[in-house]
Amino acid sequence: MVDVTDATFEAEILFRSDELPVVVDLWAPWCGPCRTLGPIIEKVVDETEGQVVLAKVNTDESPGISQLFDVQGIPAVHAVHKRKVV
C-alpha cells in the first residue's frame, strides 16, 4: 500500500500501472463508509501477493487527483492499468 498525493500521483499511480494494476482508493478521514471499505480493500489487495498495488488518496489533502478521476462522492475506487482507468 502506498499513500499518494497530488505531487506523487504520476510516479505512484501512472508509472506503476505500466507494470502492475493499481487500485486507487479515494477516501477521507471523516467518511464513515470509507473507514469501513478501506480495510476490506487492503485485505483483498494483500491477498494478491504483490500482483496488484493499492494507492490510497486522501481527497481532502489531494483534491487534484479527485478531479482527475472526476470523483463526485466518496468512497470511490478505480483501477488503473497501463495508465488507463479500467
Side-chain angles (χ1 to χ4, degrees):
M1 178 184 78
V2 60
D3 289 314
V4 179
T5 65
D6 288 341
T8 62
F9 169 78
E10 202 170 290
E12 297 294 353
I13 295 176
L14 290 184
F15 294 154
R16 279 188 183 218
S17 76
D18 287 336
E19 301 297 321
L20 294 168
V22 178
V23 173
V24 182
D25 178 15
L26 296 118
W27 68 285
W30 50 263
C31 171
C34 298
R35 290 192 315 267
T36 300
L37 182 62
I40 295 168
I41 295 170
E42 291 172 21
K43 181 180 183 293
V44 170
V45 170
D46 282 347
E47 290 173 357
T48 71
E49 298 179 353
Q51 294 182 21
V52 175
V53 175
L54 175 59
K56 304 275 287 183
V57 178
N58 181 328
T59 59
D60 289 342
E61 296 174 357
S62 299
I65 297 172
S66 298
Q67 290 175 346
L68 288 172
F69 283 101
D70 196 27
V71 172
Q72 300 296 311
I74 55 174
V77 180
H78 298 276
V80 179
H81 188 56
K82 308 252 186 239
R83 301 183 189 209
K84 294 182 182 171
V85 176
V86 294

